Amino acid sequence: MLASPFASRTLALARGREPVVALTGAGVSAESGLATFRGADGLWNGRDPADLATPEAFARDPHLVWRFYDWRRRKARAARPNAAHLALAALERQRGAMRVVTQNVDGLHQRAGSASVLSLHGTLWRLRCTAENREFDDERADLGVLPLRCECGGLLRPAVVWFGEPLDPAVLAEAEHAVRTAALVLVVGTSSMVVPAASLAPIARRAGAWIVEINPDRTPLTRHADEHVTGRAGDLLPRLVAAAGFDVEVA
Ligand code: OAD
């Protein structure tokens, strides 16, 4: 077995009883075949988020925005949780006192078995009526004619957070509480460029948490982290879980 690339403090905290938070981003789902946003193969490379992920874009062209989200739903449905999602779920099941706070809307943490997921940016699998402000789950494979309409005649939209929109204040407050009370925060697969999600690790650090970044690249957080481990989440998270003394896969 390969030696652990993690600091002994990281392993001790992962093994211990104090709360752990995993802050995750699109990089965690990259090994499931879902594109990240930034970088050469990113969804925003060659596309302007202002055309696809803002309330103004939806008001202008709901059909275009819905085609983008329908495509993302199809990709997410066809994807499977990877070793990174499974390792976080296994860690939560065995140690308890753990939350996953994700920017991802693909539902793969939940499908891997993580029970404590806070979805900062909402989910692809929930819709909101723009006329009634009512939300409901919708996991259909085929959405039919786009843009979707509610029974009331109003336009339906994905219940995700778009650029320029606030996060659900209750979800954000819960995430801030989770990081303020965590002893160890794993920041995995995020470029740490989008606020308020990117402000959670600094909040945790100020509150005294040990911050470990897992990413193949450096980010604006890197120099503020206690440890940066360079590599892929699907490789490193199972190694972290195993080195902390837990089983990597727990059904
Ligand atoms: P980004 O695309 O900005 O960043 C993905 C990060 O994952 C990068 O730092 C990559 O280096 C890293 N990465 C790539 N492959 C990886 C792997 N196998 N293991 C670990 N890390 C890997 O995605 P986010 O930070 O999630 O918001 O983006 C944040 C928000 O910006 C998204 O939620 C979305 C986007 O626009 C909205 O749509 C509102």
Side-chain angles (χ1 to χ4, degrees), residues 25-28 30-31 36-38 44 53 69 103-104 121 161-163 188-192 194 214-217 219 231-234:
V28 163
E31 291 159 76
T36 61
F37 293 94
R38 294 167 185 82
W44 298 150
Y69 280 91
Q103 295 164 82
N104 299 345
H121 293 167
V161 178
W162 283 329
F163 287 100
V188 193
T190 174
S191 59
S192 290
V194 174
I214 296 175
N215 199 308
D217 293 327
T219 75
R232 292 179 297 118

Side-chain angles (χ1 to χ4, degrees), residues 49-226:
D51 293 335
L52 295 167
T54 60
E56 292 77 17
F58 189 67
R60 203 164 46 234
D61 193 343
H63 186 250
L64 176 72
V65 172
W66 256 118
R67 271 178 43 217
F68 178 59
Y69 280 91
D70 185 34
W71 173 76
R72 288 183 61 194
R73 281 171 61 112
R74 288 171 194 273
K75 297 286 283 184
R77 177 184 297 279
R80 287 170 168 273
N82 66 51
H85 301 107
L86 295 170
L88 289 176
L91 186 64
E92 177 186 320
R93 245 179 241 182
Q94 292 166 89
R95 87 182 294 287
M98 177 166 167
R99 296 221 73 162
V100 174
V101 177
T102 190
Q103 295 164 82
N104 299 345
V105 294
D106 54 36
L108 288 178
H109 282 302
Q110 292 88 338
R111 279 171 57 195
S114 285
S116 70
V117 184
L118 272 176
S119 297
L120 293 173
H121 293 167
T123 165
L124 292 172
W125 311 110
R126 219 170 149 72
L127 306 181
R128 184 185 313 139
C129 173
T130 56
E132 301 169 320
N133 219 22
R134 189 169 60 88
E135 284 192 8
F136 53 91
D137 293 333
D138 186 326
E139 301 195 353
R140 280 178 297 162
D142 190 349
L143 289 174
V145 180
L146 300 175
L148 288 184
R149 289 204 173 265
C150 179
E151 292 160 354
C152 79
L155 272 176
L156 289 170
R157 58 164 281 180
V160 297
V161 178
W162 283 329
F163 287 100
E165 293 185 319
L167 273 59
D168 179 329
V171 173
L172 183 58
E174 209 174 330
E176 286 176 353
H177 175 74
V179 297
R180 268 199 198 99
T181 50
L184 170 64
V185 173
L186 306 168
V187 185
V188 193
T190 174
S191 59
S192 290
M193 285 172 60
V194 174
V195 289
S199 63
L200 292 171
I203 289 173
R205 193 159 193 335
R206 284 196 292 277
W210 179 257
I211 313 291
V212 179
E213 183 180 55
I214 296 175
N215 199 308
D217 293 327
R218 293 179 66 82
T219 75
L221 176 71
T222 306
R223 67 193 179 90
H224 305 289
D226 295 292

